[in-house]
Amino acid sequence: MQNRMMITGAGSGLGREIALRWAREGWRLALSDVSEPGLQETLRLVRDAGGDGFVQRCDVRDYSQLTAFAQACEEKLGGIDIIVNNAGVASGGFFSELSLEDWDWQIAINLMGVVKGCKAFLPLLEKSRGKIINIASMAALMQGPAMSNYNVAKAGVVALSESLLIELAQQEIGVHVVCPSFFQTNLLDSFRGPTPAMKAQVGKLLESSPISAAEIADYIYEQVAQGQFMILPHEQGRMAWAIKQKNPQLLYDEMTVMADKMRAKARQNPS
């Protein structure tokens, strides 16, 4: 019976909403996060929604913690049917301002965390002929200004997912990659960047989103059921991606204008 799902970054935001969406279908959930209180709250909500499961604190930078989590899934659930590599952090700043430590931190969590999650759980997915859902971002496709390390990490998640889609087809393991635009989330809690002004600008984008994390989780559920590989939950995101595929230069020009505006704003508010 295929009803066992693992989610990283399940203590809040989109990870929690994905857990609740599948919980409503009666799934058993293996929930991990670095925040213990967040995990406990998600588990409580999952049980209220009709699901069940267990929690295990896990830092996706540490492969041994992910393999221990996979082992716990085998022991407690008898295996796993879907893995959701969702854990992620936000960062921003122009390339000249970002330190190499900023790059290492971003790549370690947002890209290598997904690589390690796929690697640790692959033996279980081979047994169940399960599915991988990797959470990337529209940043992977659009490369907005002043977030090069985030763009690169998320683009890596898309490239990894495309690679796995092809390589794992013979084993009948499904692969999906989700590229949401900005949505209301607590991503800013983990935000790392050189200037407070940049954090404020990202905050405004998150608040102005027309779509909630719960709606994104609904959309993911529908698209996975239909077998869609690349899942773009935002209508504006789908439109922007269509434009970029037809006329990339148009998007680059738009982003250049946006970068100029951001620099001008940063000069006005240097704090």
Side-chain angles (χ1 to χ4, degrees):
M1 202 172 144
Q2 294 208 312
N3 66 349
R4 305 159 299 181
M5 175 183 257
M6 171 289 264
I7 306 171
T8 64
S12 62
L14 183 58
R16 174 178 286 173
E17 295 300 339
I18 291 171
L20 293 178
R21 182 64 191 84
W22 265 264
R24 291 203 292 277
E25 308 299 322
W27 279 55
R28 292 175 293 160
L29 299 151
L31 307 166
S32 79
D33 202 288
V34 288
S35 161
E36 196 74 58
L39 277 178
Q40 294 299 339
E41 175 64 8
T42 300
L43 184 60
R44 186 185 68 73
L45 293 167
V46 156
R47 286 176 173 155
D48 289 349
D52 200 6
F54 72 96
V55 300
Q56 187 159 319
R57 190 187 179 282
C58 180
D59 184 333
V60 296
R61 288 173 292 186
D62 184 344
Y63 185 61
S64 66
Q65 289 185 33
L66 280 159
T67 54
F69 186 37
Q71 202 175 342
C73 289
E74 189 155 33
E75 285 164 10
K76 295 179 183 185
L77 304 177
I80 211 79
D81 301 299
I82 298 183
I83 68 166
V84 184
N85 290 301
N86 165 72
V89 290
S91 68
F94 284 102
F95 181 75
S96 57
E97 304 165 331
L98 291 169
S99 68
L100 289 178
E101 288 74 21
D102 289 332
W103 275 89
D104 288 343
W105 178 76
Q106 181 58 236
I107 300 290
I109 299 170
N110 281 6
L111 176 54
M112 290 310 297
V114 177
V115 171
K116 290 171 183 175
C118 290
K119 191 86 176 154
F121 279 83
L122 187 58
L124 293 183
L125 292 170
E126 286 173 336
K127 284 181 195 164
S128 66
R129 294 180 178 168
K131 291 181 168 67
I132 294 169
I133 302 175
N134 291 330
I135 308 298
S137 166
M138 279 309 292
L141 307 176
M142 291 294 124
Q143 291 87 40
M147 45 202 287
S148 56
N149 58 346
Y150 185 78
N151 294 341
V152 167
K154 291 297 191 178
V157 172
V158 171
L160 170 69
S161 304
E162 289 176 333
S163 304
L164 294 178
L165 175 73
I166 295 153
E167 287 189 25
L168 300 179
Q170 204 174 3
Q171 283 113 298
E172 295 177 53
I173 295 171
V175 180
H176 309 268
V177 65
V178 184
C179 295
S181 306
F182 288 108
F183 59 93
Q184 289 176 355
T185 174
N186 67 338
L187 202 57
L188 274 195
D189 295 353
S190 66
F191 185 89
R192 186 156 150 181
T195 62
M198 190 63 66
K199 184 168 181 172
Q201 284 185 34
V202 174
K204 277 190 188 135
L205 282 171
L206 295 175
E207 283 163 23
S208 66
S209 168
I211 187 168
S212 69
E215 289 167 316
I216 291 172
D218 270 338
Y219 190 81
I220 295 169
Y221 185 87
E222 289 161 17
Q223 295 289 301
V224 167
Q226 289 170 26
Q228 183 69 35
F229 166 66
M230 187 177 282
I231 299 172
L232 309 178
H234 290 71
E235 193 179 354
Q236 274 180 306
R238 293 192 289 274
M239 284 159 58
W241 179 228
I243 290 167
K244 185 175 179 181
Q245 287 173 298
K246 284 198 185 82
N247 186 351
Q249 192 59 49
L250 199 65
L251 251 292
Y252 302 147
D253 293 346
E254 185 74 27
M255 293 295 184
T256 307
V257 170
M258 196 191 291
D260 291 344
K261 282 181 183 166
M262 288 167 91
R263 282 204 187 86
K265 205 174 255 187
R267 281 195 294 271
Q268 285 165 11
N269 312 298
S271 60

